[in-house]
Amino acid sequence: MALTQSRTLRCGLILVCMALLIAGPVHAFTANSLDITVDKNGDAVAIFRFTLDGLIENAIPQSVLQDQLQKGLTTSNDPPQLVSMDRSSATLLLKNFSDVSDVPTGTQYQTATIDFTKAEIALKNSAVSSVISADFSPAKVTVTFPDNYTKELDNVDTLPAITHTVVDPAKQLAAGSGSTNGEITVLSSQSGVRMYMDGTYTGDIPSSFMDIAPGPHTLEFRKDGYTPVTKTINMTAGQTLQLSVFLAVIPPTATPGAPGFSGIPAGIALAFCIMVRMRKKGEE
């Protein structure tokens, strides 16, 4: 029974090939999507969805498809392991798909590249290349990392390497405690003084300002009615700096007298003195 089915399948494939040799290769295989889920250890499970077109759908031996898929999705020394396959999808295990390394804030993953044209080249070298052509480049590729971060790509012949860090909150907190940024404490007996750092309003003083990046900074202190003060600092990594600031009051501007009238009070006083003397002389 099995031998009869095998002969029937072969005869059907031969007949199809003979019929199509005249017309040339038929585009029989279309890659629809590839969903890759990366495991914590760097392995990945890939679900490859495809469409078999027309008369070729039942003529292509599944073993041929399986062989081309495994060749096209090889990313390391370990070939993909076929978990399951039907006429529209295949599930494969990709060993060592991603390099895994510890970084200060968590775990970093760097995936391997996949050249989908490898499967097409393998198909061209197969026995059915004269009657079948295929597009193994998926219309959509999705790569999902252990923290559910997803990277999507459309219509690519090659899946590039993707680097992603899965953040560990404990490591991130520890890394943050060792920050190289500094702190500035500004003292002042005056309230309502505004501080600008490198031209940007930072807050009112007196106060402390955290997370100041290392390097030179220009600080300007302003308050209405007071003369602005500018200071230049050069922060070093992890430095705590203390400054004292005092703004001088802007003196009021004197209002000049009206022209031609500044000498009137003095003239009146002089005339009064002359009148008093003349009166005394008259009485004598």
Side-chain angles (χ1 to χ4, degrees):
M1 182 66 177
L3 180 61
T4 301
Q5 290 178 343
S6 176
R7 288 177 177 176
T8 301
L9 179 60
R10 290 180 182 178
C11 290
L13 180 58
I14 292 173
L15 290 174
V16 170
C17 292
M18 291 177 64
L20 294 175
L21 277 173
I22 300 175
V26 174
H27 190 75
F29 181 95
T30 301
N32 299 325
S33 65
L34 175 63
D35 297 321
I36 301 175
T37 302
V38 181
D39 196 7
K40 291 182 178 180
N41 64 359
D43 293 345
V45 174
I47 300 177
F48 196 96
R49 295 180 175 87
F50 53 86
T51 300
L52 298 175
D53 298 324
L55 184 64
I56 299 298
E57 179 177 357
N58 296 316
I60 301 178
Q62 186 161 313
S63 59
V64 173
L65 289 176
Q66 176 180 332
D67 183 58
Q68 310 317 316
L69 284 175
Q70 288 180 311
K71 290 179 180 178
L73 297 180
T74 298
T75 60
S76 65
N77 294 329
D78 298 321
Q81 299 176 12
L82 185 66
V83 178
S84 64
M85 184 173 181
D86 55 30
R87 306 300 289 182
S88 62
S89 67
T91 300
L92 304 100
L93 174 63
L94 307 180
K95 299 290 290 183
N96 302 318
F97 175 69
S98 177
D99 291 333
V100 183
S101 58
D102 288 331
V103 295
T105 57
T107 303
Q108 180 175 280
Y109 293 81
Q110 184 173 29
T111 66
T113 60
I114 299 179
D115 185 356
F116 301 112
T117 60
K118 287 182 179 179
E120 297 174 17
I121 294 173
L123 183 63
K124 289 179 181 179
N125 295 329
S126 69
V128 296
S129 61
S130 59
V131 294
I132 298 174
S133 66
D135 180 7
F136 280 88
S137 300
K140 185 175 184 178
V141 179
T142 300
V143 181
T144 303
F145 291 87
D147 61 350
N148 292 324
Y149 169 79
T150 299
K151 178 71 173 180
E152 295 183 355
L153 301 98
D154 296 325
N155 298 311
V156 292
D157 292 329
T158 301
L159 176 64
I162 302 172
T163 301
H164 174 65
T165 299
V166 176
V167 175
D168 183 333
K171 287 185 176 181
Q172 187 179 41
L173 182 61
S177 63
S179 174
T180 59
N181 290 346
E183 175 184 351
I184 298 175
T185 298
V186 183
L187 306 177
S188 179
S189 60
Q190 299 163 313
S191 61
V193 178
R194 303 183 300 276
M195 186 178 93
Y196 295 80
M197 178 180 294
D198 302 325
T200 301
Y201 173 70
T202 307
D204 287 0
I205 63 169
S207 184
S208 293
F209 303 91
M210 311 290 290
D211 203 29
I212 308 300
H217 299 282
T218 299
L219 308 179
E220 186 177 4
F221 303 90
R222 308 175 192 169
K223 183 176 181 179
D224 296 338
Y226 291 76
T227 302
V229 172
T230 300
K231 291 180 178 290
T232 300
I233 62 173
N234 190 11
M235 294 292 293
T236 57
Q239 181 183 12
T240 299
L241 185 64
Q242 182 172 297
L243 302 174
S244 294
V245 175
F246 181 83
L247 275 62
V249 177
I250 299 176
T253 303
T255 304
F261 291 91
S262 58
I264 290 179
I268 294 175
L270 179 59
F272 179 77
C273 292
I274 294 173
M275 290 175 63
V276 170
R277 288 182 180 180
M278 290 177 65
R279 185 174 181 180
K280 287 184 177 180
K281 287 183 179 180
E283 290 178 350
E284 292 176 351

